């Protein structure tokens, strides 16, 4: 089954893959070295660096570990500004309702 993403989601995943590739190149690591250390094939690493949606998220994480970027993964959704605003708005509505 082919994973189909919205164009905006595919763009984000493509940028993520490009960032991973740039991080690898900055560290002067070859694709072979990173793939071997992450226990994946070179072709899978190539798919990751292209932002392929069919690659398991755990495999993306393995590559981040090899590059020393695993803590970046923890930043995903850590500061959920929209969620906090929605939560705060709901709390304000409840307070008003209780006073009424």
């Amino acid at each position: 089954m082919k994973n189909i993403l919205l164009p905006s989601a595919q763009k984000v995943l493509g940028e993520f893959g490009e960032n991973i590739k740039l991080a690898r190149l900055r560290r002067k690591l070859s694709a072979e070295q990173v793939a071997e250390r992450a226990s994946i094939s070179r072709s899978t690493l190539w798919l990751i660096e292209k932002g392929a949606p069919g690659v398991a998220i755990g495999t993306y994480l393995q590559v981040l570990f090899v590059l020393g970027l695993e803590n970046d993964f923890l930043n995903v959704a850590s500061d959920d500004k929209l969620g906090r605003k929605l939560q705060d708005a709901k709390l304000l509505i409840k307070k008003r309702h209780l006073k009424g």
Side-chain angles (χ1 to χ4, degrees), residues 9-67:
Q10 183 58 60
K11 182 179 180 202
V12 169
L13 198 51
E15 288 180 28
F16 182 50
E18 181 71 16
N19 289 345
I20 289 172
K21 181 178 182 176
L22 290 172
R24 175 178 64 79
L25 294 173
R26 282 186 212 107
R27 287 160 178 72
K28 299 187 186 312
L29 294 171
S30 70
E32 294 84 5
Q33 289 172 310
V34 172
E36 183 179 322
R37 293 175 189 179
S39 299
I40 60 174
S41 67
R42 260 185 77 202
S43 60
T44 299
L45 179 61
W46 183 83
L47 290 171
I48 287 171
E49 291 181 351
K50 293 295 179 194
V55 179
I57 194 166
T59 308
Y60 274 88
L61 183 57
Q62 281 178 228
V63 172
L64 291 175
F65 266 97
V66 169
L67 298 173

